[in-house]
Amino acid sequence: MNSGLLDLILFSEKRKDFLLLLKEGPKDIEEILEKLQVPRTALLPQIKKLKEEDLVIHEDGLYRLSTIGEIIVEKMQPLLDTLSVFEKNEDFWADRKLAPIPPHLVKRISELGDYRLIEPDLSHTFDLNPEFVKYLSNSSCIHIFFSYFHPQFPALFLNLAKKGIEISLALSEAVYLRLIEDFKEEGREFLKKENTSLYILEKEKMEIPALITAVDRIMILGLFNESGRFDRQYVISLEPQAIKWGEELFEYYRDMSREVEIK
């Protein structure tokens, strides 16, 4: 195999899609053309290049991956999934601090899947994002960590708790101090609920995310930009593996935090 093998695989959608299709098993040319929806004359030259690199074998009328091809394609899928996450919103990711995401979850960032961004809503400049509030309000269980303060947070979480929603809330120490200074009564009432728990992350000089939310059917992630500001852009995904990823990220910070008990 030569040094151009990576280019051969990744720099052609036809070759890439062909290899991924063969991961399902051997295929004849008619099935391949039907599934890939490409003309025969466009695909055959690409197949020829893959055969020349011993990635694909053609025998008994069927195309299949060689042993080398199977190894490469198995490793190729996670890379493609990861590239897809970053390429979808290159400017966003280029300006985000990723240090708050622990290495084992950064390696699995492809699990965000087909996410989208919630952009700041200029018509609600001083309010919480309505879509964010809607998702929380329609949940039965909420796991959320946040390290930026919004004056509407105390009333929001207290009202959600009164609806019977299970809430596990983790805060940075700075946010907690703001809560007990300016919203002491709301905080005490929140903690009196049987369906609530509150944790404080007391780690200093630690890069942390702006927000992590994992609820019944959705994951929401907020990251500070390279300037250390949160511009109210959220990554949102409804895919099951993304929700699990978000739960693990929440648990990572909750497990480093101290639980607050009402006195």
Side-chain angles (χ1 to χ4, degrees):
M1 292 183 291
N2 58 48
S3 60
L5 186 55
L6 190 62
D7 292 352
L8 176 72
I9 295 172
L10 298 182
F11 292 175
S12 167
E13 289 296 319
K14 294 183 181 67
R15 292 193 293 267
K16 182 176 66 176
D17 292 344
F18 175 71
L19 290 171
L20 291 174
L21 180 61
L22 291 189
K23 185 182 177 184
E24 301 174 2
K27 302 278 188 296
D28 63 38
I29 190 61
E30 297 305 326
E31 183 179 3
I32 292 167
L33 294 173
E34 180 182 355
K35 291 197 173 184
L36 297 184
Q37 292 293 298
V38 295
R40 184 187 300 260
T41 53
L43 185 60
L44 290 180
Q46 309 307 325
I47 294 177
K48 182 174 182 293
K49 293 178 182 179
L50 294 171
K51 288 172 61 181
E52 289 172 350
E53 291 294 338
D54 298 320
L55 299 181
V56 171
I57 296 171
H58 184 216
E59 58 184 13
D60 300 327
L62 297 175
Y63 290 95
R64 64 177 176 85
L65 295 173
S66 67
T67 301
I68 295 173
E70 288 177 351
I71 295 170
I72 290 176
V73 173
E74 187 67 32
K75 300 295 184 182
M76 185 174 76
Q77 186 69 66
L79 172 61
L80 293 173
D81 292 342
T82 300
L83 289 173
S84 176
V85 167
F86 291 127
E87 289 176 347
K88 189 171 184 179
N89 291 280
E90 293 181 10
D91 292 341
F92 171 82
W93 291 108
D95 191 39
R96 296 303 113 171
K97 289 187 175 183
L98 296 182
I101 304 175
H104 71 283
L105 289 176
V106 169
K107 291 178 181 178
R108 291 165 44 203
I109 203 163
S110 61
E111 293 177 16
L112 294 181
D114 188 22
Y115 72 92
R116 63 185 178 87
L117 290 183
I118 298 180
E119 301 285 353
D121 186 349
L122 295 180
S123 64
H124 295 84
T125 302
F126 301 106
D127 298 326
L128 290 169
N129 185 290
E131 191 172 2
F132 171 76
V133 174
K134 180 190 74 173
Y135 282 119
L136 294 185
S137 301
N138 292 332
S139 302
S140 61
C141 181
I142 296 171
H143 295 142
I144 184 166
F145 169 90
F146 58 90
S147 61
Y148 77 99
F149 188 81
H150 193 290
Q152 292 178 356
F153 272 157
L156 170 65
F157 290 112
L158 179 56
N159 288 335
L160 293 176
K162 288 178 177 179
K163 290 172 61 178
I165 298 173
E166 295 284 337
I167 303 176
S168 183
L169 187 63
L171 311 175
S172 66
E173 188 171 20
V175 170
Y176 175 73
L177 291 174
R178 176 75 186 278
L179 178 67
I180 62 173
E181 287 174 3
D182 297 342
F183 299 90
K184 187 174 183 178
E185 291 305 314
E186 289 90 337
R188 288 183 63 83
E189 189 175 354
F190 177 86
L191 284 173
K192 287 180 181 178
K193 300 292 183 183
E194 294 183 358
N195 54 317
T196 64
S197 57
L198 179 65
Y199 301 83
I200 311 169
L201 180 67
E202 297 174 318
K203 301 283 185 179
E204 295 184 1
K205 297 181 181 179
M206 179 182 182
E207 294 277 11
I208 55 180
L211 179 137
I212 310 157
T213 305
V215 299
D216 303 345
R217 294 180 296 277
I218 201 162
M219 186 283 307
I220 303 173
L221 173 67
L223 295 170
F224 292 106
N225 62 24
E226 288 294 343
S227 300
R229 299 182 62 186
F230 181 52
D231 54 13
R232 297 196 301 158
Q233 283 188 303
Y234 302 95
V235 173
I236 181 170
S237 179
L238 289 83
E239 298 198 10
Q241 73 271 15
I243 298 170
K244 183 177 185 300
W245 187 93
E247 288 175 349
E248 290 184 38
L249 184 55
F250 167 80
E251 291 167 359
Y252 173 79
Y253 284 99
R254 182 202 60 194
D255 292 347
M256 289 190 288
S257 304
R258 171 176 64 86
E259 186 169 8
V260 177
E261 302 288 349
I262 189 168
K263 296 180 181 180

